Amino acid sequence: KRVAPQTAAARSARPLRPPFFFSIRLRYDQSMTAPTTPYSGNLGDKDPLDSIRNNIEQIQTLTSDWPANRFERSYAPGKWTARQVLTHLAQTELMLGNRARMAIITPKYVAQNFDQDAWIALDAGLPARAATDAFVAIARMNLGFFEGLSPAALATGLTHPEYGKLTVDWILHQIAGHQIHHIGQLQRVA
């Protein structure tokens, strides 16, 4: 069954962008108080948007000329390999980006716990370069998403079973600090 095309009047009556977005901004609003996350010590007082931009480039540069066997090295005995760290970074970008988007469009959103070990097992066969490419692509997508959010959107609340009441801004800071934390592990492999 064909759907009749919308009239010009109906198309012009719809907003072109959701009200929680505004033009892209390249810096975080420093007048906002930074939330405390488990990775606040890694992020410090750095701008989270700048940090994410730098983190993406740093991971690409760090791993770009690694031979295949370097990705299978661990940063410490009994810890994940570099390939697993990169897989985890890609998975975390996917999960936290989704969590932020769901919080914005779902009133009273309740996030689910994230079992990183169960997730890492799901993608155990992912090649290292694919994990790196996935991280870079999803991190860039998330960066564009966060750059487009208004302060009101960043203040959107959600609930987490472990952390309690959070905001989208908390997720932004969590992502930036989490990336920095794992860059340190990748540097130890290098």
Side-chain angles (χ1 to χ4, degrees), residues 17-23 104 144-150 153:
R17 297 186 71 160
F20 44 81
F21 284 97
F22 67 99
S23 62
I104 287 175
F145 166 74
F146 284 112
E147 286 175 333
L149 294 181
S150 68

PDB file of all heavy atoms in Angstrom, residues 17-23 104 144-150 153:
ATOM      1  N   ARG A  17      14.695  19.996  13.634  1.00  0.00           N
ATOM      2  CA  ARG A  17      15.587  19.373  14.604  1.00  0.00           C
ATOM      3  C   ARG A  17      14.857  19.255  15.925  1.00  0.00           C
ATOM      4  O   ARG A  17      14.100  20.130  16.278  1.00  0.00           O
ATOM      5  CB  ARG A  17      16.831  20.219  14.801  1.00  0.00           C
ATOM      6  CG  ARG A  17      17.651  20.351  13.525  1.00  0.00           C
ATOM      7  CD  ARG A  17      18.904  21.044  13.823  1.00  0.00           C
ATOM      8  NE  ARG A  17      19.721  20.102  14.597  1.00  0.00           N
ATOM      9  CZ  ARG A  17      21.022  20.202  14.735  1.00  0.00           C
ATOM     10  NH1 ARG A  17      21.658  21.195  14.208  1.00  0.00           N
ATOM     11  NH2 ARG A  17      21.696  19.338  15.447  1.00  0.00           N
ATOM     12  N   PRO A  18      15.117  18.205  16.667  1.00  0.00           N
ATOM     13  CA  PRO A  18      14.515  18.104  17.987  1.00  0.00           C
ATOM     14  C   PRO A  18      14.935  19.299  18.842  1.00  0.00           C
ATOM     15  O   PRO A  18      16.013  19.860  18.648  1.00  0.00           O
ATOM     16  CB  PRO A  18      15.097  16.803  18.547  1.00  0.00           C
ATOM     17  CG  PRO A  18      15.536  16.036  17.347  1.00  0.00           C
ATOM     18  CD  PRO A  18      15.922  17.055  16.319  1.00  0.00           C
ATOM     19  N   PRO A  19      14.121  19.705  19.793  1.00  0.00           N
ATOM     20  CA  PRO A  19      14.407  20.902  20.573  1.00  0.00           C
ATOM     21  C   PRO A  19      15.616  20.780  21.493  1.00  0.00           C
ATOM     22  O   PRO A  19      16.091  21.773  22.001  1.00  0.00           O
ATOM     23  CB  PRO A  19      13.126  21.099  21.390  1.00  0.00           C
ATOM     24  CG  PRO A  19      12.490  19.759  21.432  1.00  0.00           C
ATOM     25  CD  PRO A  19      12.871  19.080  20.144  1.00  0.00           C
ATOM     26  N   PHE A  20      16.144  19.575  21.679  1.00  0.00           N
ATOM     27  CA  PHE A  20      17.274  19.417  22.586  1.00  0.00           C
ATOM     28  C   PHE A  20      18.611  19.604  21.887  1.00  0.00           C
ATOM     29  O   PHE A  20      19.653  19.491  22.494  1.00  0.00           O
ATOM     30  CB  PHE A  20      17.234  18.064  23.297  1.00  0.00           C
ATOM     31  CG  PHE A  20      16.892  16.907  22.401  1.00  0.00           C
ATOM     32  CD1 PHE A  20      17.835  16.324  21.597  1.00  0.00           C
ATOM     33  CD2 PHE A  20      15.594  16.421  22.370  1.00  0.00           C
ATOM     34  CE1 PHE A  20      17.512  15.276  20.775  1.00  0.00           C
ATOM     35  CE2 PHE A  20      15.272  15.354  21.555  1.00  0.00           C
ATOM     36  CZ  PHE A  20      16.226  14.781  20.753  1.00  0.00           C
ATOM     37  N   PHE A  21      18.580  19.902  20.592  1.00  0.00           N
ATOM     38  CA  PHE A  21      19.810  20.151  19.859  1.00  0.00           C
ATOM     39  C   PHE A  21      19.931  21.626  19.517  1.00  0.00           C
ATOM     40  O   PHE A  21      18.955  22.344  19.440  1.00  0.00           O
ATOM     41  CB  PHE A  21      19.830  19.369  18.543  1.00  0.00           C
ATOM     42  CG  PHE A  21      20.118  17.920  18.704  1.00  0.00           C
ATOM     43  CD1 PHE A  21      19.087  17.001  18.759  1.00  0.00           C
ATOM     44  CD2 PHE A  21      21.408  17.472  18.823  1.00  0.00           C
ATOM     45  CE1 PHE A  21      19.350  15.654  18.912  1.00  0.00           C
ATOM     46  CE2 PHE A  21      21.683  16.120  18.975  1.00  0.00           C
ATOM     47  CZ  PHE A  21      20.643  15.219  19.015  1.00  0.00           C
ATOM     48  N   PHE A  22      21.135  22.061  19.321  1.00  0.00           N
ATOM     49  CA  PHE A  22      21.394  23.367  18.752  1.00  0.00           C
ATOM     50  C   PHE A  22      22.647  23.242  17.921  1.00  0.00           C
ATOM     51  O   PHE A  22      23.177  22.147  17.768  1.00  0.00           O
ATOM     52  CB  PHE A  22      21.472  24.465  19.828  1.00  0.00           C
ATOM     53  CG  PHE A  22      22.634  24.356  20.760  1.00  0.00           C
ATOM     54  CD1 PHE A  22      23.768  25.113  20.560  1.00  0.00           C
ATOM     55  CD2 PHE A  22      22.590  23.509  21.857  1.00  0.00           C
ATOM     56  CE1 PHE A  22      24.837  25.023  21.426  1.00  0.00           C
ATOM     57  CE2 PHE A  22      23.652  23.414  22.730  1.00  0.00           C
ATOM     58  CZ  PHE A  22      24.787  24.177  22.508  1.00  0.00           C
ATOM     59  N   SER A  23      23.139  24.326  17.390  1.00  0.00           N
ATOM     60  CA  SER A  23      24.273  24.211  16.481  1.00  0.00           C
ATOM     61  C   SER A  23      25.478  23.580  17.179  1.00  0.00           C
ATOM     62  O   SER A  23      25.648  23.690  18.381  1.00  0.00           O
ATOM     63  CB  SER A  23      24.651  25.593  15.939  1.00  0.00           C
ATOM     64  OG  SER A  23      25.046  26.421  17.001  1.00  0.00           O
ATOM     65  N   ILE A 104      17.640  10.786  26.581  1.00  0.00           N
ATOM     66  CA  ILE A 104      17.077  12.008  26.007  1.00  0.00           C
ATOM     67  C   ILE A 104      15.683  11.776  25.428  1.00  0.00           C
ATOM     68  O   ILE A 104      14.806  12.619  25.573  1.00  0.00           O
ATOM     69  CB  ILE A 104      18.040  12.603  24.959  1.00  0.00           C
ATOM     70  CG1 ILE A 104      19.236  13.217  25.701  1.00  0.00           C
ATOM     71  CG2 ILE A 104      17.349  13.654  24.094  1.00  0.00           C
ATOM     72  CD1 ILE A 104      20.321  13.730  24.811  1.00  0.00           C
ATOM     73  N   GLY A 144      30.005  13.704  17.779  1.00  0.00           N
ATOM     74  CA  GLY A 144      29.083  14.574  17.049  1.00  0.00           C
ATOM     75  C   GLY A 144      27.759  14.728  17.775  1.00  0.00           C
ATOM     76  O   GLY A 144      27.192  15.822  17.840  1.00  0.00           O
ATOM     77  N   PHE A 145      27.270  13.643  18.343  1.00  0.00           N
ATOM     78  CA  PHE A 145      26.029  13.679  19.119  1.00  0.00           C
ATOM     79  C   PHE A 145      26.177  14.613  20.320  1.00  0.00           C
ATOM     80  O   PHE A 145      25.361  15.511  20.531  1.00  0.00           O
ATOM     81  CB  PHE A 145      25.685  12.259  19.559  1.00  0.00           C
ATOM     82  CG  PHE A 145      24.637  12.170  20.633  1.00  0.00           C
ATOM     83  CD1 PHE A 145      23.302  12.412  20.343  1.00  0.00           C
ATOM     84  CD2 PHE A 145      24.991  11.825  21.930  1.00  0.00           C
ATOM     85  CE1 PHE A 145      22.329  12.319  21.343  1.00  0.00           C
ATOM     86  CE2 PHE A 145      24.025  11.720  22.926  1.00  0.00           C
ATOM     87  CZ  PHE A 145      22.700  11.976  22.632  1.00  0.00           C
ATOM     88  N   PHE A 146      27.225  14.430  21.112  1.00  0.00           N
ATOM     89  CA  PHE A 146      27.411  15.253  22.306  1.00  0.00           C
ATOM     90  C   PHE A 146      27.688  16.712  21.959  1.00  0.00           C
ATOM     91  O   PHE A 146      27.246  17.611  22.678  1.00  0.00           O
ATOM     92  CB  PHE A 146      28.527  14.691  23.191  1.00  0.00           C
ATOM     93  CG  PHE A 146      28.117  13.472  23.962  1.00  0.00           C
ATOM     94  CD1 PHE A 146      28.676  12.235  23.677  1.00  0.00           C
ATOM     95  CD2 PHE A 146      27.177  13.545  24.972  1.00  0.00           C
ATOM     96  CE1 PHE A 146      28.300  11.101  24.383  1.00  0.00           C
ATOM     97  CE2 PHE A 146      26.786  12.425  25.685  1.00  0.00           C
ATOM     98  CZ  PHE A 146      27.353  11.203  25.392  1.00  0.00           C
ATOM     99  N   GLU A 147      28.399  16.962  20.865  1.00  0.00           N
ATOM    100  CA  GLU A 147      28.659  18.345  20.448  1.00  0.00           C
ATOM    101  C   GLU A 147      27.363  19.074  20.114  1.00  0.00           C
ATOM    102  O   GLU A 147      27.291  20.295  20.241  1.00  0.00           O
ATOM    103  CB  GLU A 147      29.583  18.378  19.220  1.00  0.00           C
ATOM    104  CG  GLU A 147      31.013  18.063  19.535  1.00  0.00           C
ATOM    105  CD  GLU A 147      31.881  17.988  18.295  1.00  0.00           C
ATOM    106  OE1 GLU A 147      31.368  17.676  17.194  1.00  0.00           O
ATOM    107  OE2 GLU A 147      33.085  18.229  18.431  1.00  0.00           O
ATOM    108  N   GLY A 148      26.360  18.345  19.686  1.00  0.00           N
ATOM    109  CA  GLY A 148      25.098  18.957  19.288  1.00  0.00           C
ATOM    110  C   GLY A 148      24.086  19.130  20.406  1.00  0.00           C
ATOM    111  O   GLY A 148      23.001  19.646  20.172  1.00  0.00           O
ATOM    112  N   LEU A 149      24.414  18.705  21.621  1.00  0.00           N
ATOM    113  CA  LEU A 149      23.444  18.791  22.718  1.00  0.00           C
ATOM    114  C   LEU A 149      23.472  20.150  23.403  1.00  0.00           C
ATOM    115  O   LEU A 149      24.536  20.720  23.631  1.00  0.00           O
ATOM    116  CB  LEU A 149      23.719  17.700  23.759  1.00  0.00           C
ATOM    117  CG  LEU A 149      23.507  16.261  23.306  1.00  0.00           C
ATOM    118  CD1 LEU A 149      23.804  15.304  24.464  1.00  0.00           C
ATOM    119  CD2 LEU A 149      22.097  16.039  22.794  1.00  0.00           C
ATOM    120  N   SER A 150      22.315  20.619  23.746  1.00  0.00           N
ATOM    121  CA  SER A 150      22.193  21.861  24.510  1.00  0.00           C
ATOM    122  C   SER A 150      22.516  21.574  25.975  1.00  0.00           C
ATOM    123  O   SER A 150      22.499  20.411  26.409  1.00  0.00           O
ATOM    124  CB  SER A 150      20.767  22.391  24.402  1.00  0.00           C
ATOM    125  OG  SER A 150      19.878  21.518  25.081  1.00  0.00           O
ATOM    126  N   ALA A 153      19.781  19.508  27.418  1.00  0.00           N
ATOM    127  CA  ALA A 153      19.851  18.085  27.057  1.00  0.00           C
ATOM    128  C   ALA A 153      20.913  17.374  27.890  1.00  0.00           C
ATOM    129  O   ALA A 153      20.706  16.241  28.331  1.00  0.00           O
ATOM    130  CB  ALA A 153      20.134  17.922  25.575  1.00  0.00           C
TER     131      ALA A 153
END
